[in-house]
Amino acid sequence: MDKKYCSNCGAENKTSSAYCISCGNSLEEKTEPVQKKKKGKGCLIALIVALLIAGLVVGGIFLYKKLVYFEDPFEDETTIKTSVDSKSFEELLNEDFNNGKISKDQYVLQIAYALYEPDRVLYNSNDIESVDFETLSRVLEKYGNELSYDTMLYIYKKINLSDYTWSTSDETTYERDNEANISKVGLSYMSKKPDGNVKKLDGVILSKDKHFLVYYSTEGRYPTKKSQAKKVANYLEGVVDTYKKDFNLNFDYDIQYNVPNGALTKPYSYNSVVKLLEENNIDKKYIDTAMPVYLIDTEAEKTNHSGFYVGSIENILIRFFYGSGSSLFASPEENISYTTYAFPYFVLSSSLIGTDDQYMVGAHELFHHYQRYICGNGEYKECISGAFTTETTASEAALHAYKPSDFTALNGHSGVFLDYMNSDRGVSFMAKNAGGTGGYIAYVFANSYEEVVPNGSKVMFDSMKHEDALGYIYNNSGGKYSKAVMKTAEKILTEDYSNKALIPKDYDTHEKINPKNQYNLPGSFGIQSKYVSTSGFDYYMIKTYNYPEKAQLSFNKSLDTDKDLYLLLFVRKDSKDDYELVYTHNLDKEFVLNIDDFRYYNDVAFSVVNGGISKSILYTFEIKENGEKTPTVTAKSLGLKEPKPNKKAIVTSKIVCSKVESEEYIKSTYQVLVSFDNKEEVNDFYVKGTVEMEDNAIFKIAKGVTTGAVFLLKQKYKEEFGKITLRTYDEGNKYIILGRVKDDYYTAIKNSFNTESTSREDIFNAIQKEGFICEFQ
């Protein structure tokens, strides 16, 4: 294969390469000798282009394709996964099962893998993390007696945390003998230990009010100190106090020893637990009265489980092993030394120790325990509502127990909720798809429902006793269900939350996000129609300066029989302010607004809300150039005062461009965004590069090389990189480099896309000449 050699640094490149993988220099042939440019402001964007557009990301991967040029013959056979599907994991799994593509054993194991070993899951769906123990429990109850011994043994070991063992002082272990060394070398201890596996529970704390025994490990990837375990134990006691004060719920714990069919009076691990308690001066009587909590490494980066609650196995597995005449202890290797000596218990990932997530997840998992007593009216009983509303109420209760100061998983879930609500899906969709993501994100609605409906939290809790949880919530709202949906739509825009965990944020960037389908109403005139889903809402926003003086906007419902359609009117004085709800309107009557009347506001927004649970509702909105209808409200009638002039220029349009390149095993996407203010001057400039390939060892190495290259470039060109904000991150099998120019936009554009012009149209055309597909927004 022919090669290209860089005239700047001499590096070898592929013939198809446009830029050098080493220095970023253009490889295009030129009639004139190549001269090095002087270091100046333009060098900044040259670096960005070299890094993102020219393909340093891809170059890094090509480098490793050179080094890793043969396959490892000892590698396990790789499972071929389907492409990411919009369907949920359970939908994809059920399709294959119902069509006879997989057996019952494979069906149940896939659910178990989703919970314990997601790398072994066949389906590349986005909601695998929504699988919990209740999901697994349901299929075991249905198919338990029809499964193979190996399948049941795998699940039985996982439920009993068999990867962990108990460690007491009379056991001489490698870890104890080398404790000083381990503490010094940190994670590098893995290379010192022969089997590289430190999974022993060697510490325990009895919480101050004696409700919990918190077991932890002082070793492993995420070791826990005694002081940290004590904080967790006492925090859980604080959660107990909160649930008593806010919900009038008492803590109960009825121990169920982990013994098969009464064959043993105590589990095999009982003596080890007693020894550990004795070493820590804890009376063994608390084994019978205190709930076990395990601070262990859940490998959350793979399983997506930062914590989980296991109520009981309800003899599902025991019936199989002993009802069929088989013995669980048929051979020494199957003689499981139970780590979980008793049910119920719950787990918190030790990787969370010291974070806001630790406390939020802890409160969430603990409430799963309370739920059984709620559903059993004081007796321990499983709830039947599904993830909506068991997961819903667990997160809502956790908001009472803890107010984080930083980003938590709940902020990310709030962001997912916003995506669902703005994808023609509402709360009703979440209820119908309770086995998927819906139940985990609907706490945003539950929070509003609790605020609007008298004794709303009790209604939400009682809904767990009903298969049609949403119907129960609707029928017991005292006629205020619609107001709860409207309150949800309001708070998402106003962000008027006492607990900031409800503010929707992006999982990766932790940045606040606005409604994703925040439609900019068109500058053209005419009528349009749209459906809003049950218990859902749409958002619209207008820039008042885009319309002529007499322009008029109206919203109306299509059928008189639809009684649950509402409109919310918001204003925002400038881009730094939060939205403010100024008017609520029942669309039994048409809503009309003179746009010019609100011209002094930066943003005017609307939310169209379906407050029912029975059907989607069709509505229309219309913009007339010379409207003659009487407006429903005016700024004056609402008592709004004209704000101070906004000194900052307002974004009025954007050029958004993208280019996709594919090589063997690799797909690269390059994006450019240039935004303009109301004077048509550039006021923001982003460049983004995304490389996508199979998430394997080569990809992991390539990510390291690329990140290292970015670091070296930033060190070498400190002055230039001081003019941009640059970050790298990955999303599964995607690796991303994002650059944002801080100032001097035109110099950056000029040096990137070979244009001297500052007009929108010329910049648009210049970017397209580089092979991008662009559009105005």
Side-chain angles (χ1 to χ4, degrees):
M1 181 183 290
D2 293 335
K3 302 290 183 181
K4 279 185 180 179
Y5 295 89
C6 178
S7 60
N8 182 52
C9 69
E12 181 183 290
N13 294 269
K14 293 183 67 174
T15 55
S16 60
S17 299
Y19 296 87
C20 177
I21 65 172
S22 177
C23 69
N25 184 57
S26 174
L27 299 177
E28 298 298 329
E29 294 184 2
K30 298 181 180 179
T31 56
E32 298 180 4
V34 177
Q35 295 183 357
K36 294 183 181 180
K37 293 183 179 180
K38 291 183 178 180
K39 187 176 175 182
K41 293 182 179 178
C43 186
L44 161 66
I45 199 62
L47 290 173
I48 299 177
V49 173
L51 188 62
L52 303 175
I53 306 304
L56 179 59
V57 179
V58 179
I61 292 174
F62 284 155
L63 171 63
Y64 277 89
K65 287 176 71 178
K66 281 187 178 181
L67 297 176
V68 187
Y69 54 86
F70 59 88
E71 295 182 358
D72 182 356
F74 300 100
E75 189 170 313
D76 292 337
E77 184 176 350
T78 303
T79 301
I80 300 175
K81 296 186 177 183
T82 61
S83 60
V84 175
D85 202 298
S86 59
K87 295 180 181 178
S88 71
F89 163 72
E90 289 191 71
E91 287 173 332
L92 293 169
L93 180 62
N94 287 332
E95 280 184 8
D96 280 359
F97 180 56
N98 294 331
N99 292 332
K101 293 183 179 180
I102 58 175
S103 66
K104 286 179 182 175
D105 277 286
Q106 291 172 320
Y107 175 73
V108 174
L109 277 174
Q110 282 299 305
I111 293 175
Y113 291 155
L115 184 62
Y116 299 114
E117 296 183 88
D119 288 345
R120 301 180 69 176
V121 170
L122 292 170
Y123 305 94
N124 195 12
S125 181
N126 290 324
D127 72 334
I128 293 175
E129 68 273 10
S130 67
V131 175
D132 54 17
F133 181 76
E134 281 69 25
T135 311
L136 180 60
S137 181
R138 287 196 300 272
V139 297
L140 288 174
E141 191 168 12
K142 188 173 183 179
Y143 300 117
N145 291 327
E146 304 172 52
L147 300 176
S148 70
Y149 184 80
D150 288 340
T151 296
M152 299 301 282
L153 184 61
Y154 170 84
I155 296 170
Y156 198 60
K157 287 181 177 179
K158 290 297 183 181
I159 291 172
N160 284 284
L161 306 183
S162 61
D163 290 341
Y164 278 81
T165 58
W166 297 96
S167 178
T168 53
S169 60
D170 61 349
E171 295 176 332
T172 302
T173 67
Y174 178 92
E175 295 81 12
R176 288 190 178 281
D177 293 340
N178 294 275
E179 185 173 356
N181 292 332
I182 290 171
S183 63
K184 290 179 182 178
V185 300
L187 294 182
S188 64
Y189 78 88
M190 297 290 281
S191 61
K192 290 192 172 188
K193 187 176 187 304
D195 61 5
N197 182 26
V198 181
K199 291 190 174 182
K200 292 181 182 296
L201 295 171
D202 57 1
V204 60
I205 294 290
L206 177 66
S207 60
K208 60 182 180 181
D209 292 330
K210 315 297 189 294
H211 289 129
F212 304 99
L213 282 168
V214 178
Y215 300 98
Y216 61 97
S217 175
T218 60
E219 299 159 1
R221 291 197 311 163
Y222 301 106
T224 303
K225 297 178 181 178
K226 183 176 182 179
S227 59
Q228 294 171 324
K230 187 174 182 179
K231 285 182 180 179
V232 173
N234 290 333
Y235 164 73
L236 292 175
E237 291 289 8
V239 176
V240 169
D241 294 340
T242 297
Y243 291 166
K244 172 64 178 176
K245 178 174 67 72
D246 289 8
F247 308 129
N248 196 30
L249 295 174
N250 293 312
F251 178 84
D252 289 303
Y253 176 68
D254 300 312
I255 190 170
Q256 176 189 342
Y257 275 116
N258 190 7
V259 293
N261 262 10
L264 304 170
T265 56
K266 293 287 191 295
Y268 284 106
S269 60
Y270 183 81
N271 289 335
S272 296
V273 176
V274 170
K275 288 180 182 179
L276 188 59
L277 293 179
E278 288 175 347
E279 291 174 11
N280 288 271
N281 298 314
I282 299 173
D283 195 317
K284 69 177 183 179
K285 70 179 182 180
Y286 292 112
I287 293 179
D288 293 324
T289 60
M291 182 179 180
V293 179
Y294 300 94
L295 300 180
I296 62 175
D297 178 13
T298 64
E299 299 186 47
E301 69 278 10
K302 292 195 303 182
T303 65
N304 288 315
H305 283 81
S306 297
F308 55 90
Y309 174 87
V310 180
S312 72
I313 52 175
E314 297 180 330
N315 291 323
I316 295 169
L317 298 172
I318 301 302
R319 283 202 308 271
F320 173 83
F321 286 119
Y322 287 88
S324 62
S326 300
S327 172
L328 178 60
F329 312 107
S331 59
E333 62 269 18
E334 294 176 0
N335 189 344
I336 301 170
S337 178
Y338 303 136
T339 299
T340 55
Y341 61 91
F343 296 98
Y345 70 87
F346 72 88
V347 168
L348 286 178
S349 174
S350 54
S351 64
L352 298 179
I353 294 297
T355 68
D356 283 335
D357 261 330
Q358 166 198 304
Y359 298 111
M360 194 64 81
V361 173
H364 175 105
E365 299 304 337
L366 178 54
F367 195 74
H368 280 317
H369 182 66
Y370 282 82
Q371 289 171 343
R372 271 62 174 188
Y373 291 96
I374 294 171
C375 291
N377 298 317
E379 300 293 327
Y380 192 89
K381 181 181 177 181
E382 292 296 319
C383 302
I384 63 174
S385 68
F388 182 89
T389 53
T390 55
E391 298 297 341
T392 304
T393 56
S395 290
E396 171 57 13
L399 293 172
H400 284 251
Y402 190 70
K403 293 185 178 181
S405 58
D406 198 4
F407 174 89
T408 69
L410 284 192
N411 291 108
H413 287 174
S414 294
V416 177
F417 175 85
L418 184 54
D419 286 342
Y420 267 59
M421 298 303 294
N422 288 281
S423 302
D424 295 324
R425 298 179 287 190
V427 175
S428 297
F429 177 88
M430 296 175 198
K432 293 175 183 176
N433 293 271
T437 304
Y440 289 83
I441 63 179
Y443 66 91
V444 180
F445 165 74
N447 181 263
S448 296
Y449 185 92
E450 181 183 333
E451 181 177 332
V452 170
V453 177
N455 212 12
S457 59
K458 186 178 187 307
V459 177
M460 292 296 300
F461 296 164
D462 286 341
S463 73
M464 296 184 295
K465 306 174 187 177
H466 302 269
E467 290 185 358
D468 182 14
L470 183 64
Y472 182 87
I473 291 168
Y474 181 86
N475 293 329
N476 289 273
S477 66
K480 295 188 176 182
Y481 182 89
S482 295
K483 289 186 177 181
V485 182
M486 284 188 279
K487 178 63 71 174
T488 308
E490 172 192 344
K491 287 197 165 189
I492 284 178
L493 271 191
T494 63
E495 298 181 357
D496 183 22
Y497 292 116
S498 60
N499 193 317
K500 301 307 179 184
L502 284 152
I503 294 176
K505 293 186 180 181
D506 182 87
Y507 262 113
D508 297 309
T509 65
H510 298 182
E511 293 177 355
K512 292 193 294 185
I513 56 177
N514 285 323
K516 289 294 179 67
N517 73 333
Q518 190 180 68
Y519 300 108
N520 287 328
L521 289 176
S524 57
F525 305 101
I527 189 169
Q528 298 187 39
S529 61
K530 190 178 182 297
Y531 279 97
V532 58
S533 59
T534 49
S535 304
F537 38 82
D538 295 327
Y539 291 107
Y540 296 90
M541 180 178 67
I542 60 173
K543 300 292 188 181
T544 53
Y545 47 76
N546 285 336
Y547 300 91
E549 183 178 348
K550 295 184 179 180
Q552 197 170 69
L553 168 68
S554 62
F555 284 87
N556 209 348
K557 65 179 181 180
S558 295
L559 297 174
D560 290 337
T561 54
D562 294 329
K563 301 295 183 184
D564 292 313
L565 193 64
Y566 303 87
L567 180 136
L568 309 181
L569 170 62
F570 303 85
V571 296
R572 185 167 64 165
K573 296 177 181 179
D574 61 51
S575 58
K576 294 182 180 179
D577 286 340
D578 292 330
Y579 281 99
E580 176 186 354
L581 176 65
V582 295
Y583 183 69
T584 302
H585 182 77
N586 188 318
L587 281 173
D588 278 346
K589 294 182 179 179
E590 184 180 26
F591 176 84
V592 180
L593 192 78
N594 289 336
I595 296 177
D596 190 60
D597 188 43
F598 290 80
R599 189 171 299 278
Y600 47 73
Y601 283 97
N602 185 53
D603 289 329
V604 178
F606 307 87
S607 182
V608 179
V609 179
N610 181 343
I613 65 171
S614 60
K615 63 176 182 177
S616 298
I617 298 177
L618 181 66
Y619 64 93
T620 62
F621 55 89
E622 182 178 15
I623 301 176
K624 287 187 176 181
E625 186 173 3
N626 294 292
E628 298 179 351
K629 296 179 181 178
T630 302
T632 305
V633 293
T634 65
K636 184 176 181 180
S637 70
L638 295 174
L640 300 178
K641 296 180 179 179
E642 183 173 346
K644 295 180 180 179
N646 183 9
K647 295 181 180 180
K648 185 177 179 180
I650 302 165
V651 176
T652 64
S653 65
K654 300 174 184 177
I655 296 175
V656 181
C657 306
S658 63
K659 178 169 66 173
V660 178
E661 295 179 353
S662 294
E663 297 282 348
E664 187 180 7
Y665 308 120
I666 301 169
K667 176 183 177 182
S668 302
T669 303
Y670 308 113
Q671 297 167 276
V672 175
L673 185 151
V674 183
S675 66
F676 299 82
D677 61 24
N678 52 335
K679 296 180 181 179
E680 294 204 1
E681 294 180 353
V682 175
N683 66 356
D684 231 338
F685 181 23
Y686 290 86
V687 184
K688 180 179 179 181
T690 302
V691 63
E692 180 178 356
M693 67 178 294
E694 186 176 345
D695 191 3
N696 53 25
I698 299 175
F699 184 54
K700 289 181 173 65
I701 296 172
K703 288 194 295 185
V705 168
T706 306
T707 303
V710 174
F711 176 77
L712 291 174
L713 280 173
K714 290 177 74 173
Q715 294 300 308
K716 185 175 181 181
Y717 299 102
K718 289 183 179 180
E719 180 182 347
E720 286 78 6
F721 275 99
K723 297 182 175 67
I724 64 172
T725 300
L726 188 71
R727 73 183 184 90
T728 63
Y729 60 100
D730 60 284
E731 296 176 344
N733 64 336
K734 296 180 181 179
Y735 189 67
I736 299 164
I737 301 180
L738 179 64
R740 181 182 185 183
V741 181
K742 293 180 180 179
D743 53 27
D744 203 5
Y745 303 115
Y746 286 111
T747 300
I749 292 170
K750 172 184 174 181
N751 284 280
S752 300
F753 304 111
N754 192 30
T755 178
E756 298 289 338
S757 175
T758 60
S759 75
R760 286 193 316 167
E761 288 72 19
D762 288 345
I763 292 173
F764 182 97
N765 293 330
I767 299 175
Q768 286 211 135
K769 285 182 180 179
E770 298 293 329
F772 287 83
I773 298 174
C774 300
E775 64 176 359
F776 282 113
Q777 291 184 357

